[in-house]
Amino acid sequence: MLAREVEARMLERLQYVKLEPGRILDAGCGDGHGADCLSKTYPEAHLLGLDFAYPMLRAASSRESWLWRVLKRARVDYLCADFAAVPLPAASVDLAWSNLSLHCAGDPQPVLKELRRVLKVGGLLMFSCYGPDTLKELRRAFAAHDGEARVHDFADMHDLGDMLSACGYAAPVMDMELITLTYADVEALLADLRASGQINVLAGRRRGLTGKEVFSAMRAAYEKLRRDGSLPASFEIVYGHAWKGEPRTTEDGRAIVRLEPPLPKRG
């Protein structure tokens, strides 16, 4: 599964960060695999897995073995909520982690702002999300028949970096890579997308069922891309991390001025 591969690459990046978090928030935790990996990486930390899909949280809570729970080598609690409205107090987590979930928000900026709110000063945000070249082949294959929006538009890496700065994060770092998966046919690709919860939730999408004519035209257009017996599907993966520095303004926009007492004179 692509999410597991991206998760592994994020965990590898995390090894180069000096951090000993006491509490970690996995925002958009899905089935809990990422929270499970983080709990093993930081066995003394308290893990919080947050997702708005209750069935996913039920699956996540069943991941922990009874022995792991008895030994209490790590604590993982799950919250059913929107990650743009996290039910946690301000400055309560040391690491905010989100793997391939930001695209579920219509606008990522309120989510980034909310994650900064719950981070402690000196805390780290680390995330991955889809970039604009994700599923470009599928988008073009549908566009060959009509102009209906059938694939999401994903935020650009540079726009996400600007959002981090606008939200007040310090030292944001962004990069991306293109991962190409191959499928035997279009049905296999669509089944994989449905299994991972990737469905069309665009506000402007057509509400009725997509007709056979549309799918037939899309399949025919996609087949032209077949190489070596397989169909390609591109996924642009954007990675980002940033820190929560000392606040420079209050919530109402007023500048914070810190006055240091003068050093005592010698002599």
Side-chain angles (χ1 to χ4, degrees):
M1 181 186 290
L2 179 61
R4 299 283 173 85
E5 177 61 30
V6 175
E7 174 188 285
R9 299 184 187 194
M10 287 178 66
L11 287 167
E12 184 177 354
R13 292 163 182 251
L14 198 54
Q15 295 177 5
Y16 299 99
V17 179
K18 187 177 181 181
L19 190 69
E20 294 182 4
R23 178 179 283 184
I24 302 171
L25 173 65
D26 183 358
C29 65
D31 66 359
H33 188 271
D36 188 42
C37 291
L38 287 166
S39 71
K40 291 177 173 62
T41 303
Y42 300 106
E44 302 301 321
H46 177 201
L47 266 293
L48 294 170
L50 182 145
D51 204 285
F52 66 87
Y54 182 68
M56 296 299 288
L57 292 179
R58 290 189 62 184
S61 62
S62 66
R63 293 188 59 86
E64 292 182 315
S65 68
W66 67 269
L67 181 59
W68 188 261
R69 290 194 296 269
V70 169
L71 292 175
K72 295 186 182 299
R73 296 287 299 278
R75 294 179 295 153
V76 182
D77 295 315
Y78 292 99
L79 305 171
C80 187
D82 185 347
F83 54 10
V86 180
L88 292 174
S92 58
V93 302
D94 303 286
L95 170 62
W97 165 285
S98 183
N99 177 32
L100 295 183
S101 296
L102 275 179
H103 65 279
C104 295
D107 181 1
Q109 186 160 330
V111 178
L112 296 174
K113 184 178 180 180
E114 179 69 350
L115 294 180
R116 184 184 181 278
R117 182 188 69 82
V118 300
L119 274 174
K120 297 178 182 178
V121 172
L124 175 67
L125 167 69
M126 178 172 279
F127 68 90
S128 64
C129 60
Y130 295 123
D133 274 345
T134 296
L135 296 175
K136 61 183 180 181
E137 298 89 356
L138 183 62
R139 181 182 291 107
R140 292 169 184 168
F142 270 123
H145 178 266
D146 61 22
E148 290 287 335
R150 304 184 187 278
V151 180
H152 282 258
D153 290 324
F154 301 102
D156 181 82
M157 176 182 71
H158 302 290
D159 293 334
L160 287 165
D162 291 341
M163 291 180 196
L164 289 173
S165 297
C167 290
Y169 285 93
V173 176
M174 305 294 303
D175 66 307
M176 59 78 67
E177 63 179 336
L178 193 66
I179 297 176
T180 302
L181 304 182
T182 56
Y183 293 88
D185 49 42
V186 173
E187 282 68 25
L189 167 60
L190 297 178
D192 197 15
L193 294 175
R194 285 192 292 267
S196 60
Q198 312 301 320
I199 59 175
N200 186 357
V201 294
L202 288 169
R205 71 189 185 280
R206 180 178 293 177
R207 300 293 172 170
L209 296 175
T210 302
K212 293 182 179 180
E213 181 183 354
V214 173
F215 274 110
S216 295
M218 180 271 289
R219 290 188 188 95
Y222 214 135
E223 276 295 327
K224 296 177 182 179
L225 302 177
R226 186 177 291 277
R227 297 290 183 274
D228 300 323
S230 299
L231 296 178
S234 299
F235 294 85
E236 180 183 339
I237 308 300
V238 176
Y239 300 94
H241 72 263
W243 301 85
K244 180 176 179 178
E246 291 283 352
R248 297 181 179 179
T249 61
T250 61
E251 289 296 326
D252 58 4
R254 291 177 294 169
I256 296 175
V257 179
R258 291 181 173 83
L259 301 177
E260 299 291 338
L263 294 175
K265 294 182 180 180
R266 294 182 179 180

